[in-house]
Amino acid sequence: MRAVVIKSFGGPEVLEVVETPLPEPGPGQVRVKVAAAALNPVDAAFRDGYIAPLTDGQLGLGWDFAGTVDAAGEGAGFAPGTAVVGLSYGPAATKSHADHVVVDASAVAPAPTTVDTVHAATLALNALTAAQALDLLALSPGDSLLITGAAGALGGFAVQLAHRAGITVTALAGPDDEQLVRSLGADTFVPRGATVAPAAADAVLDAAVMGEPALAYVRDGGAHVGVIPGASPAPVRSVRVETVEVSPDGARLAELVKLLDAGVLTTRVAGTYPLGEVAKAHTRLAEGGVRGRLVLIP
C-alpha cells in the first residue's frame, strides 16, 4: 500500500509517498481502507520534528480518517464492509495518510450518514479534542466561555458544543469571521487584535495557542485549557490551568457522529488533494487562512 511518511524533519519537501506492506489487524483491531483523511496542524508539527522521534527510521502522518473496514481482528466488533470514522492516535511508522490504516477498534465509530466521506474525515480529531477540552473545563449552563481561534476546526466545534450545553460563548477570531462564528452559536464576537478587551469569562479554551495572553480573558479563580501539551502558561490569580491531550474514544466519537447527523455539528472542508500531492496540501496549510480542513484522498 501507499503511505505518507517522513524520514527526516523539515518542510513539505521531506514528505514521501512510499510503498509499504499492507498491515494486518491484531486482536481488537480493525484495518480500514481509507477513503479520505484530514490534514491537521499536528501533522505539520510531526513533520517539523516538534512532537515525536522517527520510528524505525520513519514517521507516518495522519490522524483522523473515514473509510471502510476491510479486515478485523478477533473481538474487534466491526464487520468488514462497515463504514467508519476514527482516530489514528500517536506516533507510528504509518498512519492514516495512507491507503489503509490499522487502529484499535475502540478508536473508531460508525460513519455519519448525512455527509460524504470527505467531510466525515474531518470530525474525529478536532471534535473529540473540543469535547474533551470542555470536559476539563467542567462548565455549567449559564457559565461564560471565551474561545480563541473560534473560526478554526477545533474552535468551531467547541463553539457548537458549548452553545448546545447552554454556555455563553464569546468567540475570538479574525475580523472577517464574525458571521461564521455567530452562525456556529457564538453569543459575542471579539476580533483578533481588538484594543478593548472582552469581559473576563469563567473560562478560556485557547484553541489559537495564544498562551499567557489568553489568561487575561479569564476571571480570578476561573479556568484555562490549552491544546498543546507542555505549552500552557503558568497559573496566575488562582486560575486553574490545564491542557487537553486528545484520547481515542470510539464511544464518544459515536455520540459526536450523532450530533453531526442531527445538524448540531458542522464539518467544513477547505479543499481536497490526491494523496500523491500531500506536499502541496502541507504548503497550502502553511500559508494560513484555511477555514475548514484540507483533506487527502488516497
Side-chain angles (χ1 to χ4, degrees), residues 46 52 59-60 62-63 88-92 95:
F46 265 52
L59 190 64
W63 287 63
S88 177
Y89 176 79
K95 286 169 57 67

Side-chain angles (χ1 to χ4, degrees), residues 41-130:
V42 67
D43 293 304
F46 265 52
R47 188 202 69 218
D48 289 336
Y50 290 142
I51 296 180
L54 299 178
T55 302
D56 296 328
Q58 71 179 40
L59 190 64
L61 299 182
W63 287 63
D64 38 14
F65 59 88
T68 305
V69 174
D70 75 343
E74 182 180 356
F78 285 89
T82 305
V84 296
V85 292
L87 186 67
S88 177
Y89 176 79
T94 63
K95 286 169 57 67
S96 68
H97 290 173
D99 292 323
H100 294 80
V101 63
V102 169
V103 296
D104 291 343
S106 59
V108 303
T113 59
T114 58
V115 298
D116 60 22
T117 54
V118 172
H119 283 80
T122 68
L123 182 68
L125 177 62
N126 292 283
L128 274 174
T129 303

Side-chain angles (χ1 to χ4, degrees), residues 172-179 189-194 291:
L172 191 153
D176 297 331
D177 291 321
E178 180 172 6
Q179 182 177 354
F189 172 73
V190 177
R192 186 172 56 244
R291 291 294 175 260

Side-chain angles (χ1 to χ4, degrees), residues 120-221:
T122 68
L123 182 68
L125 177 62
N126 292 283
L128 274 174
T129 303
Q132 291 170 6
L134 292 173
D135 289 346
L136 285 176
L137 290 171
L139 297 172
S140 300
D143 287 346
S144 57
L145 171 66
L146 185 142
I147 300 171
T148 72
L154 168 57
F157 283 133
V159 171
Q160 292 181 308
L161 290 171
H163 173 73
R164 179 177 181 269
I167 295 164
T168 301
V169 178
T170 296
L172 191 153
D176 297 331
D177 291 321
E178 180 172 6
Q179 182 177 354
L180 169 63
V181 296
R182 287 192 182 276
S183 73
L184 298 175
D187 300 282
T188 304
F189 172 73
V190 177
R192 186 172 56 244
T195 56
V196 178
D202 294 314
V204 163
L205 171 51
D206 187 18
V209 198
M210 291 178 60
E212 185 176 353
L215 286 173
Y217 302 135
V218 188
R219 65 166 174 80
D220 293 356

